[in-house]
Structures are given as structure tokens and as C-alpha cells.
Amino acid sequence: MPVLERAVREVMRTSLVTVAAGETVLAAWELLERSGARHLPVVLPDGRCAGLLDRAEVAVACAAPAVSLSRRYARDLVRCRRCVVVHHGDPVGRAVAVMDANGCDALPVVGDAGTLAGLFTAADVVAALAGRRAEVLSGVGARPPYPYPVMPGLPPRQDDGRISPVP
């Protein structure tokens, strides 16, 4: 079956690092740094996705004076814009069109209950076109339980930049 006709659930990544909406911007940066992820879904207590943070926008937010960072939360960074999502059953072609229309390279994917089911990125499309699955974050696991863990303390990075396995 052509890639653009496949369901998003067949191409998306499900091994995610997420941040709770009530966590600080510093916690979001720490998660991005330790995981090596480029995108960080912001999750509400009921499992719905409030938005998606990009590494660059979190880095810019962290350039503020340190005293203000403890009072700035992940939800503050996504509050000012609409969260564009796709359904896990949508065709990849539709998801690519949504990404193109919104000028983004990643979309949160929701399941039937409207909760976060995964993340669909341009890299996932390229991997699918190349005939392979996109790489998942090492050390994070195959599919986190619902609701996704916030992972307050990731293990230290290895010398090669990967996350050390959790004992």
C-alpha cells in the first residue's frame, strides 16, 4: 500500500517523552535535553494534548531571567495558539496536508477517546517512504501506559548522547 494511503497509526511514533501542562519551562527543557527529543507534547491531566513544544521555542523561553522561569509553565507556551492534531486513523496523506497547511513538521496524534496516542513527524514520513519505521527514543520504552508518565527524573545521558537504560 502506498505510504500516503496508510493510516497515521502505522507510521507515527508511540514512544514519547511528554510534559504535564503544569510543569515548569525548566522541566520541559530538562526533558528535551535528556531525551534528545525535538518535540515535546504538553499533556493535560485527562490525557488530552494541550499542544506541542519545539526544542527551539523552549530554548528561547529559557533565555528569560532565571527568577521568572520558576513561574512559567509548559501550558503558558502553548496557550496562545491552537493545537492542531490528527486522528490515528487518518491517512498519512491527510496528515501531511495538515502539516503543510500549518507550516509545522510534527503533529500530535489522538486516539478514539481524544487522548494523545502518538506523534507524527516529517521524519516518520521519510522513514516510511524508505521502508522502515522511524527510530524511537532509546531507553524510553515501546508504549507508555495511559496517562503518559511525565518522567520527572530521566537517567543520565551516556557519552554517545543516548539515555541510559532504567534498571
Side-chain angles (χ1 to χ4, degrees):
M1 174 183 288
V3 171
L4 295 178
E5 294 175 13
R6 292 169 59 189
V8 168
R9 75 166 92 27
E10 298 174 29
V11 178
M12 71 181 190
R13 52 190 74 208
T14 57
S15 184
L16 304 176
V17 174
T18 64
V19 66
E23 286 291 335
T24 65
V25 170
L26 285 176
W29 178 250
E30 180 81 11
L31 287 167
L32 285 168
E33 274 298 293
R34 289 197 179 209
S35 69
R38 185 165 168 228
H39 301 96
L40 189 63
V42 178
V43 180
L44 298 170
D46 62 3
R48 291 179 301 122
C49 186
L52 188 63
L53 298 178
D54 183 85
R55 175 180 284 276
E57 66 188 323
V58 176
V60 168
C62 285
V67 70
S68 68
L69 291 178
S70 63
R71 295 185 305 261
R72 193 142 187 226
Y73 301 95
R75 69 176 162 258
D76 299 335
L77 296 181
V78 295
R79 182 176 291 161
C80 59
R81 61 175 195 259
R82 190 178 100 225
C83 180
V84 181
V85 300
V86 291
H87 188 269
H88 68 94
D90 288 342
V92 169
R94 180 184 183 287
V96 169
V98 169
M99 288 170 63
D100 184 44
N102 288 281
C104 59
D105 64 347
L107 293 170
V109 180
V110 296
D112 293 330
T115 57
L116 185 65
L119 186 64
F120 179 78
T121 68
D124 299 333
V125 176
V126 171
L129 288 169
R132 62 179 176 77
R133 291 278 296 168
E135 290 186 27
V136 295
L137 298 170
S138 62
V140 176
R143 185 181 266 273
Y146 171 79
Y148 287 106
V150 175
M151 301 175 75
L154 289 175
R157 291 183 99 170
Q158 296 176 346
D159 289 337
D160 61 0
R162 294 181 303 132
I163 299 172
S164 302
V166 178

